[in-house]
């Protein structure tokens, strides 16, 4: 592994598993990432084998912290009770244990939305921001990460907050996938997002909202039309956030 890297990050998704060595001084990849398609049968063994293959590809030394961003709530020492984007055989499994065994070394696992939020807080759009930052990912659903003075409050599922006046589950009303499905214009979508972020603002009084997900690349089409008092900005690390955040989290956990 290249000398400028202090940690290694992996981002596990339903379609691809991406990994790269990370320079934690700059908050960027130390080498170009390696992406391997998620196997059709994305069992713990199949996914674990790919992560080991990525570690071997980059020749990651034993003493380098390895962080894995994973698409489910993560409670160290406890087994998964829900899985949406990977094979259902993950249910009842201790994720950290699976990856540590597959990689032949201790690894740190963190929820993927939390990893992305941490990356934005340490190196991206929310860098240096004190108080409460709420990072949201607008995609198939709405992912959320709460970070208070740089400390992660893990496993929040605030995309499922119930909107008033019968609008129901927020992500079923305002996710990016809903806009696409209904072929909705960005300004009209921004009205739906205003309902969501207004409620989050009321409940949490954050200092800043950060908006990530693929749609953040065209943030000028909708962000200016979200009518709330709290500052709201687009994520800057985009698809690199999961890898960088996982690597950073692993390095912090190693030093605690």
């Amino acid at each position: 592994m290249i000398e400028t890297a202090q940690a290694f990050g992996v981002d596990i998704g339903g379609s691809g598993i991406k990994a790269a060595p990370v320079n934690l001084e700059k908050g960027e990849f130390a080498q170009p990432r390696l992406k391997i398609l998620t196997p059709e049968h994305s069992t713990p063994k199949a996914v674990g084998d790919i992560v080991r293959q990525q570690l071997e590809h980059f020749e990651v030394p034993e003493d380098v912290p390895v962080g894995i961003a994973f698409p489910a709530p993560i409670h160290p020492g406890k087994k998964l009770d829900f899985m949406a984007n990977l094979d259902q055989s993950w249910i009842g499994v201790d994720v950290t244990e699976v990856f540590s065994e597959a990689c032949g070394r201790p690894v740190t696992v963190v929820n993927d939305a939390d990893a992305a939020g941490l990356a934005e807080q340490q190196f991206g759009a929310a860098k240096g921001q004190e108080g409460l930052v709420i990072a949201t990912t607008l995609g198939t659903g709405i992912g959320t990460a709460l970070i208070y003075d740089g400390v992660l409050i893990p496993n929040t599922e605030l995309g499922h907050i119930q909107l008033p006046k019968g609008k129901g589950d927020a992500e079923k009303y305002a996710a990016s996938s809903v806009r696409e499905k209904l072929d909705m214009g960005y300004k009209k979508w921004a009205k739906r997002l205003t309902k969501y972020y207004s409620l989050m603002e009321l409940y949490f009084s954050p200092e800043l909202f950060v908006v990530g997900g693929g749609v953040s690349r065209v943030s000028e089409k909708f962000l200016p039309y979200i009518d709330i008092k709290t500052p709201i900005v687009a994520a800057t690390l985009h698809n690199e956030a999961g890898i960088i955040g996982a690597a950073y989290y692993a390095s912090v956990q190693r030093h605690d």
Side-chain angles (χ1 to χ4, degrees), residues 43-237:
T43 60
K45 184 182 186 314
V47 175
D49 286 348
I50 288 175
V51 174
R52 186 182 69 246
Q53 191 180 325
Q54 287 168 322
L55 286 167
E56 288 169 356
H57 171 85
F58 287 103
E59 298 178 344
V60 181
E62 290 287 328
D63 60 341
V64 168
V66 174
I68 299 173
F70 192 78
I74 297 297
H75 300 276
K78 293 187 179 176
K79 294 174 170 57
L80 273 193
D81 54 12
F82 173 77
M83 172 48 67
N85 296 330
L86 297 174
D87 194 89
Q88 292 301 298
S89 58
W90 282 94
I91 294 172
V93 162
D94 182 325
V95 182
T96 307
E97 204 172 78
V98 163
F99 285 120
S100 296
E101 283 179 11
C103 299
R105 67 174 83 197
V107 302
T108 303
V109 184
V110 59
N111 170 265
D112 54 358
D114 287 341
L118 269 176
E120 291 294 339
Q121 206 274 338
Q122 290 298 319
F123 308 108
K127 186 177 179 183
Q129 177 65 59
E130 296 178 347
L132 180 63
V133 173
I134 300 182
T136 58
T137 308
L138 302 176
T140 307
I142 299 177
T144 59
L146 262 61
I147 298 133
Y148 187 78
D149 283 349
V151 178
L152 176 69
I153 303 161
N155 299 317
T156 55
E157 290 285 350
L158 298 171
H160 296 298
I161 205 164
Q162 293 294 305
L163 298 176
K165 297 180 182 174
K167 298 287 189 287
D169 188 300
E171 70 173 31
K172 289 179 181 170
Y173 179 73
S176 184
S177 59
V178 174
R179 185 196 70 77
E180 291 168 11
K181 186 179 170 187
L182 299 178
D183 198 20
M184 191 184 294
Y186 284 100
K187 283 189 183 179
K188 192 173 179 184
W189 182 45
K191 288 185 176 177
R192 291 193 173 208
L193 290 172
T194 295
K195 290 184 173 70
Y196 173 64
Y197 287 107
S198 295
L199 196 60
M200 295 283 279
E201 186 178 56
L202 175 69
Y203 285 159
F204 296 102
S205 302
E207 303 300 326
L208 179 70
F209 286 110
V210 178
V211 180
V215 76
S216 65
R217 294 183 186 276
V218 292
S219 61
E220 72 283 354
K221 293 185 178 181
F222 65 93
L223 270 194
Y225 305 104
I226 297 175
D227 185 17
I228 56 172
K229 296 185 179 71
T230 306
I232 183 165
V233 297
T236 56
L237 297 174

